[in-house]
């Protein structure tokens, strides 16, 4: 452990040591308040009414009987709502107009917000909302997602839709071995524990929104744009967040709350129910993916083709870029990737933990396992033979790529060397046993942020950075980073986050949050430490240094920057019931410097658990007749629970990012990447049957047969 000195005091480095969450006591004792439970005087409650029609128009809304109900204050809908602006570029581009509620009579999908009933109490609002009669002019709807949609089209996301290198058909034709397979993943939902909730109020000419979101700079900017307000007049706070996973950006509930608070001139709270979250919170689109791999007899790839189709709504384009991981992972003489989308009468999907990488890695890493089987080479050795020197598509060097180190260390700990490659030959009573592996990668980026660090007169420090701790432990990580930069101990540092008044900062997304904020905190703290070294004393108001990382991040060289990982799973399959149990999992990651091993391990294990969930449980099923879901709740939509997760181990290899001031890369999303493929590959090893459609449900295992 390294030590630094401040004055005469030797201080141990905090980054890299395990710390429980600084707000942990507040959370477990209930002192920490979440957005839906912070008290406000004169609070009114809004309840959203969602469309039951899958496509058409609102013909009429019978508001009169509802307005006469106890406590009801108003009903907002398309005929009385104030106009909103959706023609702007926000932090992540054009907004999804789904959040701009009640602007027209068109209904583009089931679950479209059609009205907000506001009442004195939440119960009164709910009761009135449930009896509000909305009449629709229904039109035929189309929610049929399939690989052969003639209306599918290519769409750029945060990366180009299509990449092409070499003559694919020629290289496939010249390959000794070819894998050509189609994989599907279903519609999946975020389901954070804390539902989306917002309270809006006008206070002395300023709009204040107390919310649960992944970035208050982002959400405040969207609200200011949508309501045509001066950005300085909007304050969004989000102190504690019970999970987001990509779903907590600007959504209908905040906009409806702001609208109602403006109309009524009193505080209004809107909370989503779990069931409403299945329509209003975004979700991961289903995908259908074709992967073609062509290899020489020694396993070297001659051809790689990954083509993915996902769905979006008719009101906004969002693409699940599942063909993306192939652009990082493997090179080939001919290398083609394409992301396509089809517009359906469904809600707009959105970012969901490892968007693109999670479903894309299921297809690509399953196909790689199929190739290993066909060419008769161990799956890890096959990856070693196909390790690229540079970005397969970009041609850029990797900032660091420690994938093989993850495989070697993971294989050692998991006991891979003793593995018999033959499928369907291991038994434990009624269970067939198998093991599988898969690779993982996720982009390691950073976004511009500002921070302010204050040396207080009492010798402590206050850090102000508009970070979002969505359960990741970001607040604690930043405390450790600041303590090291200030050459002090974490107990001398208080970190203020989750308030747009703290100044602009990156959102908690793309696994970039902690790295982006830590960068800004480090810049400010370094300069403050230099000033304090001059020993001029600290005045009563303290000394504050501010930072802005825009220039530093803009000056980064062109490189391929990613975290990497190796996933291992052991499963047991009961061929009589079709049940699949994951017995153990190991994830080894190369994901930059690990700031707090305790919360980092939580992140990895959480992602891997979600991978098990993706492999075996999660699936939102839509009814073609109504366009809506069956079982839009946690009874109908299965997520992995404790009993599904007996033993998960996550660890990491040394992988300090040389270009980051703290060495961080980002760990938020990589835990899920490759996890579902590792489980599916283990199910093949157990049974001899490939499962290319997720989730691997008991009925699928039973109908697929295999070694019994
Ligand atoms: Mo994440 S899906 O960038 O919150």
């Amino acid at each position: 452990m390294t030590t630094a000195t401040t004055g005469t005091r030797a201080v141990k480095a905090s980054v890299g040591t395990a710390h429980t969450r600084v707000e942990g006591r507040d959370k477990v004792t209930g002192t920490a308040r979440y957005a839906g439970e912070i008290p406000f005087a004169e609070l009114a409650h809004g309840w959203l009414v969602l469309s039951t029609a899958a496509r058409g128009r609102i013909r009429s809304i019978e508001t009169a009987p509802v307005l006469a109900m106890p406590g009801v204050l108003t009903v907002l809908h398309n005929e009385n709502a104030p106009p909103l602006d959706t023609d702007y570029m926000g932090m992540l581009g054009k907004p999804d107009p789904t959040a701009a509620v009640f602007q027209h009579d068109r209904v583009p999908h089931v679950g479209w917000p059609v009205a907000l009933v506001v009442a004195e109490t939440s119960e009164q609002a709910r009761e009135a909302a449930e009896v509000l009669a909305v009449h629709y002019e229904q039109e035929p709807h189309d929610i049929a997602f399939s690989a052969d949609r003639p209306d599918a089209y290519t769409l750029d996301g945060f990366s180009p839709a299509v990449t092409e290198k070499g003559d694919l058909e020629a290289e496939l034709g010249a390959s000794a071995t070819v894998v050509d397979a189609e994989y599907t993943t279903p519609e999946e939902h975020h389901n954070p524990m804390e539902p989306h909730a917002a309270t809006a109020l006008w206070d002395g000419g300023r709009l204040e929104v107390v919310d649960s979101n992944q970035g208050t700079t982002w959400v405040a900017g969207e609200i200011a744009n949508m309501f045509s307000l001066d950005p300085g007049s909007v304050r969004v706070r989000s102190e504690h967040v019970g999970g987001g996973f990509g779903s907590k950006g600007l959504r209908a509930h905040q906009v409806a709350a702001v609208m109602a608070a403006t109309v009524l001139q009193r505080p209004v709270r809107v909370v989503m129910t779990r069931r409403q979250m299945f329509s209003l919170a975004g979700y991961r689109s289903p995908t259908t993916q074709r992967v073609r791999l062509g290899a020489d007899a020694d396993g070297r790839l001659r051809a790689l083709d990954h083509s993915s189709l996902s769905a979006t709504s008719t009101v906004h384009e969002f693409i699940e870029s599942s063909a993306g991981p192939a652009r990082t992972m493997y090179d080939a003489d001919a290398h083609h990737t394409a992301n396509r989308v089809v517009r359906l009468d469904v809600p707009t999907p959105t970012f969901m933990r490892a968007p693109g990488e999670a479903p894309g890695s299921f297809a690509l890493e399953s196909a790689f396992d199929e190739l290993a089987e066909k060419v008769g080479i161990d799956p890890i050795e096959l990856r070693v033979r196909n390790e690229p020197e540079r970005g397969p598509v970009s041609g850029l060097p990797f900032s660091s790529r420690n994938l093989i180190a993850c495989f070697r260390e993971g294989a050692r700990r998991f006991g891979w060397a003793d593995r018999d490659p033959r499928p369907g030959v291991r038994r434990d009573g009624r269970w067939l046993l198998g093991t599988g592996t898969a690779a993982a990668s996720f982009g390691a980026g950073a976004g511009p942020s500002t921070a302010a660090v204050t040396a207080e007169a009492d010798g402590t420090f206050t850090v102000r950075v508009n970070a979002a701790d969505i359960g990741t432990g970001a607040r604690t990580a930043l405390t450790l980073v600041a303590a090291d930069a200030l050459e002090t101990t974490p107990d001398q540092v208080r970190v203020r986050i989750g308030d747009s008044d703290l100044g602009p900062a990156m959102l908690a997304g793309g696994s970039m949050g902690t790295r982006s904020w830590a960068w800004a905190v480090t810049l400010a703290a370094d300069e403050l430490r230099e000033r304090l070294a001059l020993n001029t004393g600290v005045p009563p108001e303290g000394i504050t240094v501010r930072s802005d990382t825009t220039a530093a991040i803009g000056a980064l060289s062109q490189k391929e920057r990613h975290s990497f990982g190796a996933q291992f799973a052991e499963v047991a399959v009961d061929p009589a019931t079709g049940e699949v149990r994951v017995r153990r999992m190991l994830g080894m990651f190369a994901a930059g410097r690990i700031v707090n091993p305790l919360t980092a391990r939580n992140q990895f294990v959480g992602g891997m658990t979600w991978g098990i969930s993706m492999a075996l449980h999660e699936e939102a099923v839509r009814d073609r007749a109504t366009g809506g879901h069956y079982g839009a709740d946690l009874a109908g939509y299965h997520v992995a629970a404790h009993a599904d997760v007996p033993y998960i181990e996550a660890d990491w290899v040394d992988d300090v990012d040389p270009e980051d001031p703290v060495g961080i890369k980002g760990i938020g999303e990589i835990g899920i990447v490759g996890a579902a493929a590792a489980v599916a590959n283990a199910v093949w090893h157990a049974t001899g049957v490939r499962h290319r459609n997720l989730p691997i449900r008991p009925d699928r295992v039973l109908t697929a047969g295999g070694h019994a």
Side-chain angles (χ1 to χ4, degrees), residues 297-381:
D298 64 359
R300 198 189 60 85
L301 284 180
R302 298 183 71 110
L304 186 159
D305 179 31
H306 191 165
S307 173
S308 171
L309 177 68
S310 62
T312 191
S313 68
T314 57
V315 298
H316 187 65
E317 286 181 317
F318 179 87
I319 187 153
E320 184 79 20
S321 301
S322 302
R327 300 170 185 173
T328 303
M329 293 308 299
Y330 308 113
D331 205 353
D333 302 313
H335 192 289
H336 287 204
T337 64
N339 290 306
R340 294 181 311 139
V341 74
V342 60
R343 286 183 176 262
L344 300 175
D345 298 316
V346 295
T348 313
T350 193
F351 315 98
M352 183 165 139
R353 203 170 196 171
E357 272 83 356
S361 66
F362 165 65
L364 182 64
E365 296 297 315
S366 292
F368 226 75
D369 207 66
E370 298 201 37
L371 182 65
E373 175 197 351
K374 278 195 167 184
V375 297
I377 297 172
D378 176 79
I380 295 177
E381 174 58 25

Side-chain angles (χ1 to χ4, degrees), residues 682-700:
V683 170
W684 167 78
H685 191 230
T687 62
V689 176
R690 288 286 171 191
H691 285 272
R692 302 186 181 94
N693 307 300
L694 295 185
I696 306 174
R697 300 186 311 245
D699 62 300
R700 284 178 166 158

Side-chain angles (χ1 to χ4, degrees), residues 190 214 244-247 351-355 442 470 507-511 669:
H190 306 76
Q214 295 181 226
F245 310 122
S247 72
F351 315 98
M352 183 165 139
R353 203 170 196 171
F442 198 83
I470 61 174
L507 53 102
S511 300
E669 283 157 286

Side-chain angles (χ1 to χ4, degrees), residues 139-150:
E139 297 165 10
H141 61 269
D142 179 3
I143 63 156
F145 180 73
S146 68
D148 54 4
R149 293 284 311 205

Side-chain angles (χ1 to χ4, degrees), residues 267-560:
V268 176
R269 171 170 298 161
V270 178
V271 180
M272 289 187 203
T273 63
R274 177 67 56 185
R275 192 174 286 274
Q276 288 178 337
M277 287 164 72
F278 276 83
S279 296
L280 292 176
Y283 62 99
R284 195 197 303 282
S285 164
T287 72
T288 166
Q289 305 175 57
R290 185 181 183 193
V291 181
R292 289 188 289 172
L293 301 175
D296 285 338
D298 64 359
R300 198 189 60 85
L301 284 180
R302 298 183 71 110
L304 186 159
D305 179 31
H306 191 165
S307 173
S308 171
L309 177 68
S310 62
T312 191
S313 68
T314 57
V315 298
H316 187 65
E317 286 181 317
F318 179 87
I319 187 153
E320 184 79 20
S321 301
S322 302
R327 300 170 185 173
T328 303
M329 293 308 299
Y330 308 113
D331 205 353
D333 302 313
H335 192 289
H336 287 204
T337 64
N339 290 306
R340 294 181 311 139
V341 74
V342 60
R343 286 183 176 262
L344 300 175
D345 298 316
V346 295
T348 313
T350 193
F351 315 98
M352 183 165 139
R353 203 170 196 171
E357 272 83 356
S361 66
F362 165 65
L364 182 64
E365 296 297 315
S366 292
F368 226 75
D369 207 66
E370 298 201 37
L371 182 65
E373 175 197 351
K374 278 195 167 184
V375 297
I377 297 172
D378 176 79
I380 295 177
E381 174 58 25
L382 186 64
R383 287 176 175 86
V384 171
R385 292 187 191 182
N386 282 288
E387 225 355 48
E389 302 254 308
R390 304 172 87 80
V393 171
S394 70
L396 294 170
F398 290 96
S399 65
S400 64
R401 182 178 169 114
N402 285 313
L403 175 64
I404 300 307
C406 294
F407 271 115
R408 292 211 196 288
E409 180 58 15
R412 190 185 68 76
R413 294 196 199 180
F414 192 78
W416 190 262
D418 305 331
R419 182 180 188 259
D420 179 344
R422 291 173 303 152
V425 297
R426 287 149 301 272
R427 271 193 175 277
D428 175 10
R430 65 191 169 96
W431 299 97
L432 289 166
L433 304 183
T435 53
T437 190
S441 73
F442 198 83
S449 290
T450 63
V453 182
T454 302
E456 308 287 359
D458 65 2
T460 64
F461 298 91
T462 305
V463 174
R464 292 179 176 83
V465 57
N466 190 18
D469 190 332
I470 61 174
T472 56
R475 189 188 273 102
T476 310
L478 294 170
T479 304
L480 305 184
V481 166
D484 279 8
L486 294 162
E487 296 183 354
T488 186
T489 50
D491 60 323
Q492 299 298 300
V493 177
R494 74 187 67 76
V495 175
R496 302 270 179 256
I497 66 168
D499 183 342
S500 60
D501 274 4
L502 293 171
M506 179 63 187
L507 53 102
S511 300
M512 292 188 264
T514 293
R515 180 185 182 188
S516 304
W517 308 314
W519 197 324
V521 168
T522 302
L523 285 192
D526 283 349
E527 193 187 322
L528 178 61
R529 186 167 38 77
E530 282 167 26
R531 280 219 222 157
L532 293 176
L534 301 175
N535 271 321
T536 50
V538 178
E541 72 275 16
I543 302 173
T544 297
V545 171
R546 291 169 206 285
S547 66
D548 183 337
T549 60
T550 307
I553 288 170
L556 280 171
S557 59
Q558 285 285 310
K559 284 216 178 113
E560 289 271 350

